[in-house]
Structures are given as structure tokens and as C-alpha cells.
Amino acid sequence: MNDFTLNAEVRSDLGKGASRRLRRLASLVPAVVYGGEKAPESISMLAKEVAKLLENEAAYSHIIELNVGGTKQNVIIKALQRHPSKGHVLHADFVRVVAGQKLTAIVPVHFINEAAPVKKGGEISHVIAEIEVSCLPKDLPEFIEVDLADAEIGSIIHLSDLKAPKGVEFVALAHGDDKAVANVHAPRVAPEATEEGAAE
């Protein structure tokens, strides 16, 4: 049973002006569904339903059941365009999920055991908050876990240091890009302490 559902209607009034009218007059979010063997489909959804769905972080990396005028299809969020200051969604892109066909998705990163390096006197910097993965729909993880329990001061955690879930591939690594995920560094010296040292 899919807990992630959205209702939508087919949108025939296209273009930037039409999208603005949808958002302003009807509190609707314009979107496009593409992929699979079907042609791209322009749709609109209630802004409040989209906002409610996105309150759950897992929605960003979960298969969503999209009900377009009574026809259901499974999709994932490919991209969201947000208002620069207010943060609400202005436009969404969805990709159809086809069973047995690999998909790419952006999955959030969850850092655990951050207290361990902090107890050693380190400070943690998160370099990325999400990772692009490639996998079959059935293997799509809700998040990627980064365990910092053994991280030492001065260490950098890279994608290659992470254990990908079974059936999941990190897209950047496949392209030879071993991104930094986080680093643990020594605390920066406070300006007051530096001035006191100079005075002595």
C-alpha cells in the first residue's frame, strides 16, 4: 500500500502566463510527468496537498502514487522549483516509475553518531545533504546513512567510504566523482583567544 499519494488534473492551458494564473487564482501547482513509454503530460495539483506531502522528508525519495483524473501511475519527484523567498513549490517535475527499469533519484543523507567526533574535540561540517542514486524501483532507499562513530579529527568522509544499500549505486561514483560527504576538523580558534595570546 502506497502512503504517498497525490491527486492531479490534466492541464491544457500551458505556458508561463497560464502557470502564473493557476498559482495565483486557483492555488494550484503546475507540473509535468514524463518518462516510461508515454508522452509527457501537463498536470496541476492543489498547492496545499503538495505542501502536506512534502512535510514528510521521505516523499522526496519515495515512489508516489499520482492519481490523474482517475488514472493512477507511480512516479518519483525529479525536480521542484520553489519561490526564492517564500519557499513554496512553483512547479514540479515527476518521472514515471517502470517496474524492472532502473531509475535515478535524489535521496537525503542522514548523519548518525555525530557526538563521537565532537567528544574528541572535533567539529563536523556537512558537505552534502543528498545523494543521487540509481536503482530498481523496489530498491529505492528513503535515505542514505552516514555513520560518523569512527571519524577522526582531520578526516574527510567520501562517497566511496559509504556502504550503498543492496542494489543501489551512487551516480557520482559511477562517473568517477568521489564527492566529499562530510569532514571533521579541529575547532577554529576564537578571535578573543587569539587577541589574548597576542597581548601576552
Side-chain angles (χ1 to χ4, degrees):
M1 183 71 181
N2 197 333
D3 297 322
F4 298 85
T5 59
L6 266 179
N7 294 309
E9 295 297 331
V10 174
R11 175 168 57 98
S12 55
D13 191 8
L14 307 178
K16 285 187 177 178
S19 293
R20 276 196 294 270
R21 284 193 296 275
L22 276 175
R23 288 191 289 264
R24 190 173 66 246
L25 302 177
S27 296
L28 296 172
V29 174
V32 177
V33 186
Y34 56 94
E37 302 298 318
K38 300 176 184 176
E41 187 175 24
S42 296
I43 61 171
S44 61
M45 305 160 296
L46 282 173
K48 64 180 182 182
E49 281 196 17
V50 175
K52 189 171 187 297
L53 177 83
L54 297 179
E55 284 173 4
N56 187 341
E57 181 199 49
Y60 292 91
S61 56
H62 207 284
I63 294 170
I64 297 165
E65 187 181 85
L66 188 65
N67 183 356
V68 183
T71 303
K72 295 178 180 178
Q73 53 189 318
N74 287 337
V75 301
I76 58 168
I77 297 170
K78 187 66 177 176
L80 295 174
Q81 181 190 343
R82 292 183 181 274
H83 189 283
S85 59
K86 296 176 183 175
H88 57 256
V89 177
L90 298 175
H91 188 276
D93 287 341
F94 296 101
V95 176
R96 296 183 184 99
V97 172
V98 181
Q101 194 175 100
K102 278 194 169 185
L103 54 82
T104 58
I106 304 294
V107 176
V109 173
H110 283 190
F111 294 93
I112 63 168
N113 294 320
E114 292 186 274
V118 172
K119 282 179 183 173
K120 298 172 189 172
E123 288 185 354
I124 301 164
S125 292
H126 299 162
V127 181
I128 59 175
E130 53 193 25
I131 297 173
E132 188 175 20
V133 301
S134 172
C135 61
L136 291 172
K138 67 180 180 67
D139 295 326
L140 182 62
E142 289 193 2
F143 58 86
I144 298 296
E145 195 169 83
V146 180
D147 192 346
L148 298 174
D150 298 323
E152 299 291 339
I153 295 174
S155 65
I156 299 174
I157 295 89
H158 290 88
L159 271 182
S160 58
D161 297 320
L162 308 184
K163 186 178 180 183
K166 188 177 178 183
V168 175
E169 183 179 44
F170 297 142
V171 173
L173 272 185
H175 294 156
D177 182 9
D178 193 7
K179 293 175 181 284
V181 177
N183 60 62
V184 182
H185 50 83
R188 293 181 177 83
V189 180
E192 297 83 3
T194 308
E195 287 166 14
E196 285 171 14
E200 288 173 11

